[in-house]
Amino acid sequence: MEYQNLEYYLSQPRLDRFLIATGNSKSKAQKLYRINLRVAQSFYPVLNLFEIFFRNIVNYQVSSHFANPNWIIAEKNGFMNHPSLTGSRFFLKNSVNKAERTIRRKGGIVTSGKVIAEQSFGFWTSLFDTHHYRLIGGVVIHCFPNKPTHVNRNILNQKLNNVREFRNRVYHNEPICFNRNAIDFTEAINIKNEIYELLEWIDADLTDYVDYFNGIDTRINMINNL
């Protein structure tokens, strides 16, 4: 595709960043844009699997804590409604209510399984935020039985938020190949490593499973031929 035509459909501001990073070479800018998309594409199965594994292990732990597999609905009037959560605008409770409305609007029957499936990645990571964490007795720390002893809630929370923020950039088509105006996949590599580290802390078998779908490094190495 001619650069001018691509610029028309992608928008000049979006493509200009790639043009600047490649020294105003239109051919290299197009190639860098393709490489960025390929790297983002390679993250999809890894991010997808991590989110599913993490969501389910958190659900198992919180279900056990409340001795209730339907906790996500029952606790709307329990810990999710605690006065200390005013500052968070009752994020968890509102997320569950929104999920229930969505399910009903589609003509479905509200079940815990459906409500769980509707929740964002941010819903699950937020259970590691201090205000939620203490209300559930810190039970979610047990999602990572293989973590080093020095790794605490704060460290896990930071790593999970790093993954969440990167995930949102990938899913919202934001570039992941820059450090300011320089071509740099360092952050992408670091996030991949953090995901693998978190998986290892959950269950070493998960890293082997995810690795089958991992083509991230191969795609990043395409930059060497730019």
Side-chain angles (χ1 to χ4, degrees):
M1 182 182 288
E2 291 292 327
Y3 184 88
Q4 186 175 357
N5 206 25
L6 185 65
E7 183 183 66
Y8 175 77
Y9 287 107
L10 289 178
S11 84
Q12 181 180 343
R14 174 178 287 271
L15 206 52
D16 271 355
R17 193 172 182 187
F18 294 84
L19 188 63
I20 292 167
T22 53
N24 291 314
S25 168
K26 292 181 178 179
S27 61
K28 287 186 176 181
Q30 287 200 63
K31 190 170 183 180
L32 178 59
Y33 192 84
R34 290 196 297 270
I35 292 171
N36 177 79
L37 282 178
R38 289 293 185 89
V39 174
Q41 181 186 45
S42 68
F43 265 98
Y44 267 78
V46 175
L47 288 167
N48 178 268
L49 286 169
F50 178 75
E51 184 170 349
I52 293 170
F53 295 154
F54 176 68
R55 176 189 74 194
N56 288 336
I57 196 67
V58 169
N59 179 52
Y60 299 151
Q61 291 295 333
V62 182
S63 293
S64 178
H65 176 70
F66 288 110
N68 186 356
N70 297 312
W71 69 272
I72 199 164
I73 294 174
E75 289 300 319
K76 284 194 304 178
N77 296 315
F79 87 92
M80 294 184 197
N81 202 38
H82 194 275
S84 66
L85 300 180
T86 303
S88 72
R89 298 182 181 179
F90 301 99
F91 168 68
L92 297 179
K93 179 179 179 179
N94 289 333
S95 295
V96 173
N97 283 332
K98 181 180 178 181
E100 291 179 349
R101 288 194 298 270
T102 298
I103 294 164
R104 292 191 183 99
R105 187 172 64 250
K106 294 178 179 178
I109 297 172
V110 173
T111 64
S112 293
K114 289 181 180 178
V115 172
I116 287 168
E118 284 284 335
Q119 298 311 316
S120 67
F121 189 36
F123 178 94
W124 305 104
T125 59
S126 73
L127 290 170
F128 284 79
D129 292 340
T130 307
H131 50 284
H132 294 141
Y133 186 84
R134 63 171 177 250
L135 291 173
I136 54 176
V139 67
V140 288
I141 197 88
H142 302 304
C143 293
F144 300 94
N146 301 325
K147 71 175 183 60
T149 54
H150 75 276
V151 173
N152 56 20
R153 179 209 64 83
N154 187 55
I155 292 172
L156 289 169
N157 194 41
Q158 184 60 61
K159 287 181 177 294
L160 289 167
N161 279 321
N162 290 343
V163 174
R164 179 182 58 80
E165 289 168 7
F166 183 83
R167 169 205 178 275
N168 289 344
R169 286 170 56 196
V170 168
Y171 285 19
H172 290 97
N173 304 310
E174 295 179 23
I176 57 172
C177 63
F178 297 119
N179 181 359
R180 296 185 180 179
N181 288 326
I183 301 169
D184 188 352
F185 280 105
T186 300
E187 183 187 11
I189 294 168
N190 289 342
I191 291 295
K192 183 207 73 173
N193 291 337
E194 284 200 303
I195 290 172
Y196 269 72
E197 186 175 49
L198 289 165
L199 288 169
E200 181 80 23
W201 293 349
I202 296 171
D203 185 333
D205 285 346
L206 296 180
T207 60
D208 292 336
Y209 186 83
V210 169
D211 209 42
Y212 177 82
F213 303 95
N214 176 21
I216 295 169
D217 292 336
T218 301
R219 295 291 175 83
I220 288 175
N221 289 336
M222 291 170 67
I223 203 69
N224 297 326
N225 298 318
L226 183 64

